[in-house]
């Protein structure tokens, strides 16, 4: 129940009322027909009117005070009480008994340094209630002895944002998910518990699920509803409603629906990233979140079963421009910013910012409609916290402010994106002793005032890191889940444990690969092995190198320019507002291909190859972050002549970014295309980007004629299995050409060699005719094959000014893996020891990574 304390009417209010207040009331109400002839045109009390100045001059002249050549003499100050008298009166109710006996000076005043009152100490509860009362409109009217009637407290039944639906896992032939709604008002206890009603579309009867309160304070309450439906022989549509709650929006649908695949089928996937605008972007020029209209159009045609968010589901960077970190960001000296405290008051302001920004963005259409109808799986990235979080220098990342906002951002990431209760408290410089930092965040009683936090929830779909992160004092949440009959999902939390020199702890990788072997082995033993695994990394892992640019930005030659930037502002926004480094350097350091992450990246790829070979599962990697569309892939060196269907090294990295944020300039995309070399992970594994984009999507986007690998336009992707249960396709000439056993452009006939000059070109039949002419790019043919491959389609915005968000489609197919050969050799010892949690962030800013035995 929401608890608010309203101050009673002050009996001394009339005594404190100024005579000037009465004058203004008379003027405002027109009580006197004769206006003061000397009234000032301004209402500021300290400013004398020009009319009165002339009047006073005349009076001085009349009394002989204004003789020739003299100026008017200013009036003497009115001999009224001293300022101290007002202070003494206001403090009269706080005077301590012994204070009345203190010595006074000759004029009757108190000697300096001897206050006549005992300060009233307010605990956090009183302070929060006072602030809450003002913020909810309970502010007394100025200049009157009456108080405005406070608005009634929220009854806990009005939805502030939601519903948001998540997919969680499959168990015992059941689809399991959750629905989240955020209601207005709350506190330690709730007056009622809402219920969700669930039924199959068209059915008269259904089931009900009671809400579980995850978190509640006087501002809002977070309700989670657990949903479980049995898988059936055919795809099913399910509807849910929240009859106990009311929507503030009249256009929000009262009944939402979602789709669950048949028990024998895999899920249709929609993938997106970078779902928000960077600071300073003209949002109207980009038609807002227009591509979500295309998402919903496609969803109405062929429903998506799951929506995978690859990071930056929300942009919280505004906290440093228009939010509570504005003053902190303006501090010019990076050292002073580094040592700036993060007290409870600043934590509360930042908490308000993140909460209100989530409510605003998750309530923005058409994204809000997708949230309620397409079940989500999300992993966060830096903008879910603040730009570059985790990739600045270690000393700065450990400052109080960054640790503080990391904790607050994690709190709302858990609530909004995972439907999990947050930790009871987040970091403040007031409450956490240095000795306890490594053990995670303790419970701060100030943050628990009139607040309820559900005990920690543990669920089998999470792989929780064994140790808290170095800057966010919480454990990483990695995910594993079935995506229907023959597909599974692994999401690696690449932000919680990130530093400038590591992405994840060695212990976390070991946990993840142990769990993978357990899940894949169990599925194989059951006779229903996984054929495809979708791996979500957030950051691209098969991507052009920009090491030369990193070297320039981190070079000692930048030192004098940094100094001039701090002193004279030279370079402007070329340097970031946090640690003073080059602004692009944190983005480059974020990449797996950065020199500081190369060893860790290469080991991860080799371990993934081991999984592919051991379980004959094809891994497809999803990455975002870079605001470009591209398609990278690892594959066996073409000299080895390994058919792709038997190539456990073949892994595609679908890079789809951004669905909302503006893309980089075309020149940047062209530069990356120029840097698209064929890299060698080792003697057997090559990598490069595929020439996917056979034409520009529209007149407004013109890449270089040589650039067919990076697309600087907003986009999202869809991935669909060509199910072996599909009816045989009809060869009707749609899509690309081909004369194999499968539909045109599919991988069914990819047993024969597809000629290509090198890895930039197609290397198997599923890549032949890739782009706009591929069967996977045709909505009527996408996912209609029967060979068990995956159809991948990147939908690219045609015109940024089109609010409907129409897209051009580019497609290819990824064949399933059939490998029965020997296991690959283990990674070399030089790669077998990525940083452990005990050494995270310990290296200095300019230290170099160990030398690789091979590769670029």
């Amino acid at each position: 129940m929401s608890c608010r304390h309203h101050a009673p009417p002050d009996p001394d209010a009339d005594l404190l009322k100024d005579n000037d207040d009465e004058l203004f009331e008379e003027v405002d109400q027109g009580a006197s027909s004769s206006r003061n002839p000397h009234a000032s045109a301004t209402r500021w009390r300290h400013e004398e009117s020009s009319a009165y100045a002339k009047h006073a001059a005349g009076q001085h002249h009349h009394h002989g005070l204004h003789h020739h050549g003299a100026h008017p003499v200013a009036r003497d100050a009115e001999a009224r009480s001293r300022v101290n008298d007002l202070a003494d009166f206001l403090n009269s109710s706080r005077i301590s008994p012994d204070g009345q006996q203190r010595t006074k000076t000759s004029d009757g005043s108190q000697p300096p340094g001897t206050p006549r009152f005992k300060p009233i100490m307010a605990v956090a509860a009183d302070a929060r209630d006072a602030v809450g009362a003002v913020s909810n409109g309970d502010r007394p009217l100025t200049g009157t002895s009456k108080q405005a009637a406070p608005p009634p407290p929220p009854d806990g039944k009005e939805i502030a944002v939601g519903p948001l639906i998540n997919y969680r896992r499959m168990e015992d032939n059941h689809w399991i998910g959750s629905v989240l709604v955020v209601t207005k008002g709350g506190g330690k206890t709730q007056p009622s518990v809402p219920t969700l009603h669930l039924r199959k579309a068209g059915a008269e009867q259904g089931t009900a699920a009671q809400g579980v309160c995850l978190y509640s304070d006087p501002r809002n309450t977070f309700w989670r509803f657990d949903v479980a439906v049995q898988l059936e022989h055919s795809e099913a549509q399910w509807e849910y409603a929240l009859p106990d709650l009311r929507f503030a929006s009249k256009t929000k649908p009262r009944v939402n629906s979602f789709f669950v695949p048949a028990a024998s089928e895999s899920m249709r996937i929609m993938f997106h990233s970078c779902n928000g605008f960077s600071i300073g972007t003209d949002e109207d020029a980009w038609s807002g979140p227009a591509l979500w209209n295309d998402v919903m159009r496609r969803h109405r045609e062929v429903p998506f079963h799951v929506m995978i968010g690859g990071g930056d589901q929300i942009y919280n960077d505004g906290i440093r421009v228009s939010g509570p970190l504005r003053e902190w960001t303006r501090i010019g000296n990076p050292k002073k910013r580094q040592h700036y405290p993060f007290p409870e008051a600043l934590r509360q302001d930042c908490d308000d910012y993140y909460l209100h920004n989530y409510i605003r963005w998750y309530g923005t259409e058409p994204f809000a409609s997708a949230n309620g109808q397409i079940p989500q799986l999300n992993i966060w990235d830096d903008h879910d916290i603040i730009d570059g979080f985790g990739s600045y220098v270690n000393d700065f990342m450990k400052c109080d402010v960054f640790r503080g906002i990391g904790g607050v951002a994690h709190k709302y990431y858990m609530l909004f994106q995972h439907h999990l209760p947050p930790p009871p408290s987040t970091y403040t410089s007031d409450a956490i002793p240095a000795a306890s930092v490594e053990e995670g965040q303790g419970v701060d009683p100030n943050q628990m005032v009139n607040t309820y936090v559900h005990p920690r929830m543990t669920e089998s779909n999470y792989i929780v890191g064994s140790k808290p992160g170095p800057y966010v004092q919480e454990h990483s949440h990695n995910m594993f889940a079935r995506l229907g009959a023959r597909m599974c999902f692994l999401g690696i939390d690449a932000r919680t444990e990130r530093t400038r020199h590591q992405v994840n702890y060695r212990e976390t990788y070991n946990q993840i690969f142990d769990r993978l072997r357990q899940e894949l082995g169990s599925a194989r033993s059951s006779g229903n092995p996984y054929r495809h695994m979708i791996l979500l990394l957030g950051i691209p892992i098969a991507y052009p190198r920009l090491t030369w640019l990193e070297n320039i930005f981190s070079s000692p030659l930048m030192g004098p320019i940094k100094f001039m930037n701090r002193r004279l502002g030279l370079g402007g926004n070329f340097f970031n507002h946090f640690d003073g480094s080059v602004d692009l350097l944190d983005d480059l350091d974020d990449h797996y291909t950065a020199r500081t992450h190369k060893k860790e990246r290469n080991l991860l790829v080799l371990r993934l190859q081991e999984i592919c070979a051991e379980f004959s599962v094809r891994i497809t990697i999803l990455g975002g972050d870079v605001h470009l569309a591209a398609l990278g892939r690892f594959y066996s060196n073409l000299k080895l002549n390994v058919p792709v269907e038997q190539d456990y090294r073949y892994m595609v990295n679908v890079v789809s970014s951004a669905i909302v944020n503006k893309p980089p300039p075309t020149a940047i995309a062209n530069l990356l295309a120029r840097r698209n070399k064929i890299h060698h992970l080792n003697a057997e594994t090559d990598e490069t980007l595929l020439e996917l984009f056979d034409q520009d999507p529209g007149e407004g986007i013109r890449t270089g004629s040589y650039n067919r690998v990076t697309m600087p336009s907003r986009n999202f992707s869809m991935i669909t299995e060509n199910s072996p249960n599909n009816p045989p396709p009809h060869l009707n000439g749609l899509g690309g050409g081909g004369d194999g056993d499968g539909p045109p452009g599919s991988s069914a006939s990819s047993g024969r060699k597809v000629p290509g000059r090198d890895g930039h070109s197609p290397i198997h039949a599923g890549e032949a005719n890739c782009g706009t002419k591929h069967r996977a790019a045709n909505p009527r043919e996408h996912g209609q094959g029967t060979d068990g491959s995956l159809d991948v389609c990147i939908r690219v915005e045609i015109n940024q000014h089109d609010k409907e968000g129409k897209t051009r489609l580019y497609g290819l197919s990824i064949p399933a893996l059939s490998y029965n050969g020997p296991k690959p050799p283990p990674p070399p010892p030089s790669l077998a020891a990525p940083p452990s949690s005990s050494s995270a962030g310990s290296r200095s800013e300019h230290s170099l990574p160990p030398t690789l035995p091979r590769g670029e």
Side-chain angles (χ1 to χ4, degrees):
M1 180 181 296
S2 175
C3 298
R4 291 182 171 81
H5 304 283
H6 304 293
D10 189 350
D12 296 328
D14 290 329
L15 297 176
L16 295 176
K17 191 173 180 180
D18 196 310
N19 290 336
D20 287 342
D21 291 335
E22 296 177 356
L23 174 62
F24 281 119
E25 290 172 6
E26 292 175 0
V27 172
D28 291 338
Q29 297 172 7
S32 172
S33 59
S34 58
R35 178 176 175 82
N36 179 0
H38 309 305
S40 172
T42 175
R43 294 173 64 92
W44 292 104
R45 303 178 185 182
H46 65 270
E47 189 172 329
E48 196 171 62
S49 70
S50 56
Y52 184 81
K54 294 177 182 178
H55 168 74
Q59 290 293 325
H60 285 301
H61 189 331
H62 177 74
H63 290 292
L65 297 176
H66 190 213
H67 51 76
H68 180 70
H71 295 286
V73 180
R75 294 175 296 165
D76 292 333
E78 188 174 356
R80 296 177 67 176
S81 302
R82 300 164 291 105
V83 174
N84 287 10
D85 291 341
L86 176 60
D88 290 344
F89 171 76
L90 293 175
N91 293 322
S92 59
S93 61
R94 298 191 286 178
I95 297 175
S96 58
D98 56 342
Q100 300 178 9
Q101 307 300 325
R102 292 175 183 166
T103 0
K104 295 187 178 182
T105 61
S106 57
D107 64 353
S109 65
Q110 191 75 21
T114 56
R116 295 187 56 204
F117 63 92
K118 181 181 294 184
I120 296 178
M121 303 300 292
V123 297
D126 299 328
R128 179 179 295 180
D129 290 339
V131 173
V134 171
S135 66
N136 283 284
D138 303 335
R139 189 188 300 274
L141 293 177
T142 305
T144 68
S145 60
K146 298 179 180 179
Q147 281 188 325
D155 60 2
K157 295 185 177 182
E158 183 174 347
I159 295 176
V161 69
L164 317 174
I165 185 167
N166 273 16
Y167 168 64
R168 311 197 77 79
R169 61 189 178 275
M170 288 184 177
E171 286 183 0
D172 301 326
N173 208 39
H174 281 77
W175 179 101
I176 297 175
S178 60
V179 172
L180 181 84
V181 292
V182 183
T183 57
K184 296 182 179 180
K188 184 73 73 174
T189 59
Q190 314 310 315
S192 60
V193 177
T195 300
L196 178 144
H197 289 187
L198 175 72
R199 69 177 185 182
K200 189 175 178 181
E204 295 184 1
Q205 301 296 324
T207 59
Q210 276 203 328
V212 175
C213 179
L214 299 178
Y215 177 86
S216 182
D217 64 25
R219 301 166 301 172
N220 296 100
T221 299
F222 290 76
W223 294 102
R224 164 175 159 167
F225 304 87
D226 290 320
V227 177
V229 300
Q230 187 166 0
L231 298 176
E232 301 179 354
H233 292 296
S234 59
E235 181 181 44
Q237 180 181 6
W238 291 83
E239 298 175 340
Y240 67 93
L242 299 158
D244 302 330
L245 303 176
R246 61 181 182 275
F247 292 86
S249 169
K250 294 183 179 179
T251 59
K252 190 77 173 178
R254 273 43 180 174
V255 177
N256 285 275
S257 65
F258 62 96
F259 289 80
V260 173
S264 60
E265 300 299 339
S266 300
M267 292 186 178
R268 292 186 291 269
I269 300 169
M270 177 265 180
F271 168 61
H272 69 93
S273 68
C274 302
N275 181 40
F277 288 106
S278 296
I279 294 170
T281 303
D282 185 348
E283 299 183 14
D284 291 335
W286 290 92
S287 306
L291 257 63
W292 285 103
N293 287 316
D294 197 51
V295 172
M296 296 308 294
R297 265 195 306 274
R298 179 59 181 173
H299 182 62
R300 287 190 291 270
E301 295 168 358
V302 181
F304 296 113
H305 297 126
V306 67
M307 180 167 72
I308 296 177
D312 301 337
Q313 278 69 251
I314 184 171
Y315 275 58
N316 286 312
D317 306 338
I319 194 171
R320 70 171 178 85
V321 175
S322 57
L325 295 188
R326 181 176 59 252
E327 296 302 322
W328 173 74
T329 307
R330 288 177 179 172
I331 299 173
N333 189 324
K335 289 291 184 184
K336 291 183 179 179
R337 284 199 299 271
Q338 179 180 336
H339 296 293
Y340 196 89
F342 194 77
E344 172 62 16
L346 182 55
R347 186 209 64 80
Q348 287 187 23
D349 290 342
C350 291
D351 194 285
D352 283 341
Y353 178 88
Y354 281 95
L355 171 63
H356 296 151
N357 199 39
Y358 261 102
I359 290 175
R360 175 194 65 84
W361 184 244
Y362 274 65
T364 300
E365 293 291 353
F367 176 49
S369 293
N371 286 332
Q373 299 179 43
I374 310 175
Q376 304 172 60
L377 283 169
N378 295 320
I379 289 290
W380 67 344
D381 203 23
D382 58 336
H383 293 282
D384 296 276
I385 312 171
I386 197 170
D387 185 22
F389 188 93
S391 292
Y392 298 111
V393 295
N394 182 59
D395 289 344
F396 188 79
M397 283 302 311
K398 286 190 172 180
C399 76
D400 285 334
V401 170
F402 262 43
R403 291 172 65 189
I405 62 172
V408 175
H410 176 270
K411 169 184 177 179
Y412 290 109
Y413 168 60
M414 287 288 101
L415 285 166
F416 278 96
Q417 299 195 42
H418 287 276
H419 305 178
L420 291 175
S425 305
T426 61
Y427 177 85
T428 70
S429 53
D430 293 342
I432 303 302
S436 67
V437 168
E438 294 185 358
E439 299 302 321
Q441 174 68 41
V443 177
D444 183 355
N446 287 330
Q447 299 180 42
M448 295 302 295
V449 174
N450 199 16
T451 297
Y452 171 78
V453 182
H454 192 281
R456 179 184 174 187
M457 291 181 174
T458 57
E459 297 184 67
S460 61
N461 44 295
Y462 288 104
I463 308 167
V464 179
S466 59
K467 296 182 180 180
Y471 311 131
V472 178
Q473 295 295 304
E474 304 300 338
H475 297 254
S476 63
H477 277 65
N478 311 280
M479 296 185 290
F480 181 90
R482 280 175 55 194
L483 295 182
R486 291 168 293 277
M487 294 172 62
C488 63
F489 168 81
L490 173 66
I492 296 182
D493 178 349
R495 191 56 54 177
T496 303
E497 299 172 356
R498 177 182 287 269
T499 72
R500 201 169 190 172
H501 299 283
Q502 74 169 30
V503 179
N504 288 99
Y505 296 145
R506 177 177 58 206
E507 297 91 338
T508 302
Y509 282 122
N510 291 337
Q511 286 180 265
I512 289 170
F513 281 96
D514 288 346
R515 175 68 178 272
L516 268 185
R517 284 186 163 85
Q518 173 191 336
E519 295 286 351
L520 297 178
S522 176
R524 182 171 59 185
S525 299
S526 70
N528 297 301
Y530 293 115
R531 301 303 311 278
H532 292 275
M533 185 176 85
I534 304 298
L535 171 61
L536 176 60
L537 292 179
I539 307 293
I541 196 169
Y543 197 67
R545 316 299 197 257
L546 293 173
T547 306
W548 59 277
L549 200 55
E550 294 178 67
N551 292 336
I552 293 174
F553 288 163
S554 58
S555 167
L557 297 176
M558 298 299 296
I561 304 177
K562 291 182 183 180
F563 177 81
M564 297 295 287
N565 174 262
R566 290 195 299 267
R567 296 296 185 184
L568 303 176
L570 179 68
N573 292 330
F574 184 68
F575 297 92
N576 69 58
H577 296 274
F578 300 133
D579 63 355
S581 300
V582 177
D583 193 44
L584 286 174
L585 190 57
D586 68 283
D587 292 313
L588 297 176
D589 284 342
D590 253 5
H591 290 190
Y592 279 102
T593 52
R595 57 183 173 85
T596 52
H597 298 312
K598 182 183 290 186
K599 180 178 177 181
E600 182 178 357
R601 164 193 180 270
N602 291 356
L603 177 60
L604 174 59
V605 173
L606 293 178
R607 296 185 75 173
L608 291 172
Q609 289 181 358
E610 288 182 325
I611 292 292
C612 294
E614 184 176 349
F615 296 98
S616 189
V617 61
R618 179 72 74 197
I619 293 179
T620 298
I621 304 169
L622 306 182
D625 181 73
V626 294
H627 302 177
L628 290 165
L631 196 131
R633 67 259 209 274
F634 299 94
Y635 54 91
S636 288
N637 189 317
L638 296 184
K639 294 179 180 178
L640 300 176
N641 199 27
V642 179
V644 170
E645 295 81 5
Q646 301 170 27
D647 185 3
Y648 62 82
R649 300 182 186 96
Y650 181 81
M651 290 185 287
V652 169
N653 185 184
V654 180
V655 181
S656 186
S657 168
I659 192 170
V660 170
N661 207 354
K662 67 178 182 179
T666 303
I668 298 295
N670 291 338
L671 171 64
L672 289 167
R674 291 286 195 190
R675 299 296 301 172
N676 181 38
K677 312 298 182 182
I678 295 179
H679 299 276
H680 308 287
L681 182 77
N682 53 31
E684 296 80 24
T685 306
D686 289 352
E687 59 171 294
T688 192
L689 299 183
L690 173 67
E691 294 179 347
L692 174 66
F693 303 105
D694 54 328
Q695 64 181 68
D696 289 331
E699 292 296 322
I701 302 164
R702 292 188 179 275
T703 56
S705 58
Y706 55 86
N707 181 8
R708 300 179 65 181
V709 296
T710 58
M711 178 56 67
S713 184
R714 297 192 295 185
N715 61 90
F716 66 94
S717 296
M718 55 186 192
I719 302 172
T720 309
E721 181 193 34
N722 287 299
S723 170
N725 301 318
N726 284 341
H730 298 285
L731 302 184
N732 54 10
L734 295 172
D739 57 358
D741 297 330
S746 80
S747 62
S749 59
S750 57
R752 71 188 193 280
K753 174 93 173 158
V754 175
R757 64 183 185 276
D758 55 30
H760 294 121
S761 305
I763 58 175
H764 64 86
E767 292 179 355
N769 288 322
C770 63
T772 57
K773 299 179 177 62
H774 196 278
R775 181 190 53 78
N778 189 304
R780 288 175 290 176
E781 297 291 309
H782 178 91
Q784 297 302 306
T786 60
D787 61 354
S789 64
L790 293 184
D791 275 356
V792 176
C793 177
I794 301 180
R795 301 177 70 109
V796 178
E797 184 176 44
I798 296 174
N799 182 355
Q800 71 181 67
H801 303 294
D802 176 16
K803 293 185 178 180
E804 294 301 312
K806 296 184 180 67
T807 56
R808 188 173 301 281
L809 282 57
Y810 302 82
L812 80 158
S813 296
I814 300 173
L817 176 63
S818 297
Y819 180 78
N820 296 312
K823 292 183 180 180
S830 57
L831 291 181
S836 66
S837 56
S838 59
S839 62
S842 61
R843 280 183 275 182
S844 65
E845 175 183 356
H846 301 293
S847 62
L848 296 176
T851 303
L852 290 174
R854 181 176 176 84
E856 300 179 49

